[in-house]
PDB file of all heavy atoms in Angstrom:
ATOM      1  N   TRP A 278      88.347 163.384 106.829  1.00  0.00           N
ATOM      2  CA  TRP A 278      88.684 162.362 105.854  1.00  0.00           C
ATOM      3  C   TRP A 278      88.739 162.903 104.432  1.00  0.00           C
ATOM      4  O   TRP A 278      88.977 162.156 103.493  1.00  0.00           O
ATOM      5  CB  TRP A 278      87.649 161.217 105.935  1.00  0.00           C
ATOM      6  CG  TRP A 278      87.679 160.514 107.223  1.00  0.00           C
ATOM      7  CD1 TRP A 278      87.015 160.829 108.353  1.00  0.00           C
ATOM      8  CD2 TRP A 278      88.453 159.368 107.557  1.00  0.00           C
ATOM      9  NE1 TRP A 278      87.317 159.937 109.395  1.00  0.00           N
ATOM     10  CE2 TRP A 278      88.203 159.025 108.872  1.00  0.00           C
ATOM     11  CE3 TRP A 278      89.388 158.560 106.833  1.00  0.00           C
ATOM     12  CZ2 TRP A 278      88.838 157.960 109.547  1.00  0.00           C
ATOM     13  CZ3 TRP A 278      89.909 157.448 107.456  1.00  0.00           C
ATOM     14  CH2 TRP A 278      89.657 157.162 108.791  1.00  0.00           C
ATOM     15  N   ASP A 279      88.496 164.204 104.245  1.00  0.00           N
ATOM     16  CA  ASP A 279      88.442 164.779 102.880  1.00  0.00           C
ATOM     17  C   ASP A 279      89.765 164.414 102.106  1.00  0.00           C
ATOM     18  O   ASP A 279      90.846 164.691 102.666  1.00  0.00           O
ATOM     19  CB  ASP A 279      88.288 166.294 102.918  1.00  0.00           C
ATOM     20  CG  ASP A 279      86.828 166.655 103.180  1.00  0.00           C
ATOM     21  OD1 ASP A 279      85.938 165.780 103.232  1.00  0.00           O
ATOM     22  OD2 ASP A 279      86.594 167.863 103.424  1.00  0.00           O
ATOM     23  N   GLY A 280      89.642 163.817 100.988  1.00  0.00           N
ATOM     24  CA  GLY A 280      90.773 163.547 100.145  1.00  0.00           C
ATOM     25  C   GLY A 280      91.579 162.312 100.554  1.00  0.00           C
ATOM     26  O   GLY A 280      92.655 162.046 100.003  1.00  0.00           O
ATOM     27  N   ILE A 281      91.076 161.589 101.556  1.00  0.00           N
ATOM     28  CA  ILE A 281      91.829 160.439 102.055  1.00  0.00           C
ATOM     29  C   ILE A 281      91.053 159.151 101.827  1.00  0.00           C
ATOM     30  O   ILE A 281      89.841 159.127 102.072  1.00  0.00           O
ATOM     31  CB  ILE A 281      92.108 160.587 103.596  1.00  0.00           C
ATOM     32  CG1 ILE A 281      93.043 161.792 103.798  1.00  0.00           C
ATOM     33  CG2 ILE A 281      92.681 159.320 104.189  1.00  0.00           C
ATOM     34  CD1 ILE A 281      93.092 162.234 105.185  1.00  0.00           C
ATOM     35  N   THR A 282      91.720 158.160 101.313  1.00  0.00           N
ATOM     36  CA  THR A 282      91.045 156.884 101.084  1.00  0.00           C
ATOM     37  C   THR A 282      91.426 155.839 102.143  1.00  0.00           C
ATOM     38  O   THR A 282      92.474 155.977 102.749  1.00  0.00           O
ATOM     39  CB  THR A 282      91.380 156.274  99.675  1.00  0.00           C
ATOM     40  OG1 THR A 282      92.785 155.893  99.721  1.00  0.00           O
ATOM     41  CG2 THR A 282      91.174 157.284  98.587  1.00  0.00           C
ATOM     42  N   MET A 283      90.660 154.799 102.307  1.00  0.00           N
ATOM     43  CA  MET A 283      90.960 153.741 103.211  1.00  0.00           C
ATOM     44  C   MET A 283      92.231 152.997 102.737  1.00  0.00           C
ATOM     45  O   MET A 283      92.954 152.484 103.554  1.00  0.00           O
ATOM     46  CB  MET A 283      89.835 152.765 103.366  1.00  0.00           C
ATOM     47  CG  MET A 283      88.661 153.263 104.250  1.00  0.00           C
ATOM     48  SD  MET A 283      89.240 153.978 105.839  1.00  0.00           S
ATOM     49  CE  MET A 283      90.091 152.627 106.609  1.00  0.00           C
ATOM     50  N   GLN A 284      92.516 153.031 101.474  1.00  0.00           N
ATOM     51  CA  GLN A 284      93.774 152.405 101.005  1.00  0.00           C
ATOM     52  C   GLN A 284      95.007 153.204 101.501  1.00  0.00           C
ATOM     53  O   GLN A 284      95.961 152.607 101.961  1.00  0.00           O
ATOM     54  CB  GLN A 284      93.755 152.319  99.453  1.00  0.00           C
ATOM     55  CG  GLN A 284      92.948 151.136  98.897  1.00  0.00           C
ATOM     56  CD  GLN A 284      91.492 151.155  99.309  1.00  0.00           C
ATOM     57  OE1 GLN A 284      90.868 152.256  99.303  1.00  0.00           O
ATOM     58  NE2 GLN A 284      90.922 149.992  99.569  1.00  0.00           N
ATOM     59  N   ASP A 285      94.886 154.557 101.494  1.00  0.00           N
ATOM     60  CA  ASP A 285      96.004 155.344 102.041  1.00  0.00           C
ATOM     61  C   ASP A 285      96.167 155.053 103.522  1.00  0.00           C
ATOM     62  O   ASP A 285      97.270 154.895 103.977  1.00  0.00           O
ATOM     63  CB  ASP A 285      95.658 156.901 101.955  1.00  0.00           C
ATOM     64  CG  ASP A 285      95.415 157.414 100.575  1.00  0.00           C
ATOM     65  OD1 ASP A 285      96.001 156.851  99.630  1.00  0.00           O
ATOM     66  OD2 ASP A 285      94.717 158.412 100.431  1.00  0.00           O
ATOM     67  N   ILE A 286      95.034 154.988 104.262  1.00  0.00           N
ATOM     68  CA  ILE A 286      95.116 154.751 105.690  1.00  0.00           C
ATOM     69  C   ILE A 286      95.713 153.386 105.976  1.00  0.00           C
ATOM     70  O   ILE A 286      96.588 153.235 106.832  1.00  0.00           O
ATOM     71  CB  ILE A 286      93.659 154.778 106.228  1.00  0.00           C
ATOM     72  CG1 ILE A 286      93.126 156.227 106.222  1.00  0.00           C
ATOM     73  CG2 ILE A 286      93.614 154.202 107.625  1.00  0.00           C
ATOM     74  CD1 ILE A 286      93.734 157.112 107.231  1.00  0.00           C
ATOM     75  N   ARG A 287      95.294 152.404 105.200  1.00  0.00           N
ATOM     76  CA  ARG A 287      95.779 151.030 105.475  1.00  0.00           C
ATOM     77  C   ARG A 287      97.304 150.927 105.234  1.00  0.00           C
ATOM     78  O   ARG A 287      98.060 150.376 106.024  1.00  0.00           O
ATOM     79  CB  ARG A 287      95.009 150.014 104.552  1.00  0.00           C
ATOM     80  CG  ARG A 287      95.463 148.564 104.787  1.00  0.00           C
ATOM     81  CD  ARG A 287      95.148 148.102 106.182  1.00  0.00           C
ATOM     82  NE  ARG A 287      95.409 146.701 106.331  1.00  0.00           N
ATOM     83  CZ  ARG A 287      95.631 146.076 107.538  1.00  0.00           C
ATOM     84  NH1 ARG A 287      95.678 146.776 108.633  1.00  0.00           N
ATOM     85  NH2 ARG A 287      95.890 144.806 107.537  1.00  0.00           N
ATOM     86  N   ALA A 288      97.801 151.500 104.128  1.00  0.00           N
ATOM     87  CA  ALA A 288      99.207 151.459 103.882  1.00  0.00           C
ATOM     88  C   ALA A 288      99.999 152.068 104.955  1.00  0.00           C
ATOM     89  O   ALA A 288     101.003 151.586 105.493  1.00  0.00           O
ATOM     90  CB  ALA A 288      99.516 152.087 102.528  1.00  0.00           C
ATOM     91  N   ALA A 289      99.551 153.306 105.391  1.00  0.00           N
ATOM     92  CA  ALA A 289     100.298 154.013 106.420  1.00  0.00           C
ATOM     93  C   ALA A 289     100.214 153.309 107.741  1.00  0.00           C
ATOM     94  O   ALA A 289     101.157 153.274 108.518  1.00  0.00           O
ATOM     95  CB  ALA A 289      99.731 155.461 106.501  1.00  0.00           C
ATOM     96  N   SER A 290      99.010 152.742 108.047  1.00  0.00           N
ATOM     97  CA  SER A 290      98.818 152.039 109.301  1.00  0.00           C
ATOM     98  C   SER A 290      99.747 150.825 109.414  1.00  0.00           C
ATOM     99  O   SER A 290     100.405 150.611 110.479  1.00  0.00           O
ATOM    100  CB  SER A 290      97.392 151.592 109.387  1.00  0.00           C
ATOM    101  OG  SER A 290      97.214 150.450 110.191  1.00  0.00           O
ATOM    102  N   ILE A 291      99.886 150.089 108.368  1.00  0.00           N
ATOM    103  CA  ILE A 291     100.754 148.893 108.383  1.00  0.00           C
ATOM    104  C   ILE A 291     102.212 149.375 108.591  1.00  0.00           C
ATOM    105  O   ILE A 291     102.967 148.782 109.450  1.00  0.00           O
ATOM    106  CB  ILE A 291     100.663 148.116 107.060  1.00  0.00           C
ATOM    107  CG1 ILE A 291      99.287 147.404 107.027  1.00  0.00           C
ATOM    108  CG2 ILE A 291     101.807 147.100 106.912  1.00  0.00           C
ATOM    109  CD1 ILE A 291      98.990 146.682 105.703  1.00  0.00           C
ATOM    110  N   ALA A 292     102.639 150.400 107.984  1.00  0.00           N
ATOM    111  CA  ALA A 292     104.026 150.896 108.136  1.00  0.00           C
ATOM    112  C   ALA A 292     104.229 151.333 109.619  1.00  0.00           C
ATOM    113  O   ALA A 292     105.264 151.027 110.218  1.00  0.00           O
ATOM    114  CB  ALA A 292     104.291 152.052 107.197  1.00  0.00           C
TER     115      ALA A 292
END
Side-chain angles (χ1 to χ4, degrees):
W278 296 87
D279 283 353
I281 293 165
T282 67
M283 282 313 300
Q284 279 61 38
D285 298 335
I286 289 285
R287 182 61 175 158
S290 151
I291 289 174

